[in-house]
Amino acid sequence: DPVNSQPLTVEQLIDIKTSPIVRPRPPSATSIPAILKLLQDEWDAEMLHSFTLRQQLQAARQELSHALYQHDTACRVIARLTKEVTAAREALATLKSQAGYVQAAPTPTIAANPMEGAVGVEEAMDEGISGPAEMTEELVERLQETAAKLTAERKKRGKKAPEGLASIEEIGDYR
């Protein structure tokens, strides 16, 4: 204690709350032109800060736009690939089922339990069971001929340009 020279305890001390320290103005800031210069410097600093913030905002917007574009493109590619995979699976299932008709003749029909009750093709014919395994050779040959003819027609169509399409000369004369 500075008054009576007695030692102080922590409980006797009081916290002093002060406002933040305000720097005094330099002596050169007492004239009007000096104050105007200080205000101009502060204004310049604020405008520079605002400009940098706007630049950062523009850069963030461009990055976000690019990321959104990439995401949208990725989603479209995934959707297209999923559609193509689904179409390929459907085509494979169709081809397997068509191949099943042709190759089903030598394979036996399987019952619920594969060890018991398997019925062969000859037994199925004897018992009068009808199914896809009973396609005749004549029908198979006819289907294959039709498929070959249609495939050849499709290949011919694919090699020619469509009739209404402009030729290279017409495009060159367009100017």
Side-chain angles (χ1 to χ4, degrees):
D1 186 10
V3 177
N4 57 13
S5 298
Q6 296 292 326
L8 289 174
T9 62
V10 178
E11 291 84 25
Q12 292 175 337
L13 296 176
I14 301 171
D15 291 333
I16 299 174
K17 296 181 182 178
T18 60
S19 61
I21 298 173
V22 177
R23 290 184 303 165
R25 289 188 181 169
S28 63
T30 54
S31 67
I32 291 178
I35 291 173
L36 287 175
K37 175 152 178 22
L38 284 174
L39 289 174
Q40 181 66 39
D41 291 343
E42 262 189 70
W43 176 261
D44 289 344
E46 287 299 317
M47 289 300 108
L48 183 61
H49 181 66
S50 175
F51 177 73
T52 56
L53 285 177
R54 285 186 181 167
Q55 277 185 329
Q56 289 173 353
L57 175 65
Q58 184 64 25
R61 280 185 178 168
Q62 285 180 346
E63 287 177 19
L64 180 62
S65 174
H66 184 68
L68 287 173
Y69 177 76
Q70 282 184 334
H71 179 265
D72 185 49
T73 303
C75 288
R76 289 175 191 245
V77 167
I78 290 169
R80 180 179 53 84
L81 291 175
T82 304
K83 194 164 100 174
E84 287 177 7
V85 165
T86 304
R89 284 183 180 160
E90 288 175 359
L92 182 64
T94 304
L95 289 175
K96 280 186 177 179
S97 67
Q98 287 177 355
Y101 285 122
V102 174
Q103 297 175 355
T107 59
T109 307
I110 299 174
N113 188 349
M115 294 300 175
E116 298 177 17
V119 179
V121 175
E122 295 83 14
E123 296 172 26
M125 290 180 146
D126 292 340
E127 295 174 10
I129 300 173
S130 64
E134 293 188 30
M135 290 182 64
T136 62
E137 290 296 321
E138 179 185 327
L139 182 60
V140 171
E141 287 176 21
R142 203 167 133 209
L143 285 173
Q144 288 176 346
E145 288 171 8
T146 306
K149 185 175 85 173
L150 291 174
T151 302
E153 288 178 12
R154 281 190 218 108
K155 284 184 180 179
K156 287 178 187 175
R157 263 189 302 186
K159 290 182 181 178
K160 294 189 296 185
E163 295 175 11
L165 195 63
S167 68
I168 297 173
E169 294 83 23
E170 291 174 350
I171 293 173
D173 295 339
Y174 182 68
R175 295 182 190 183

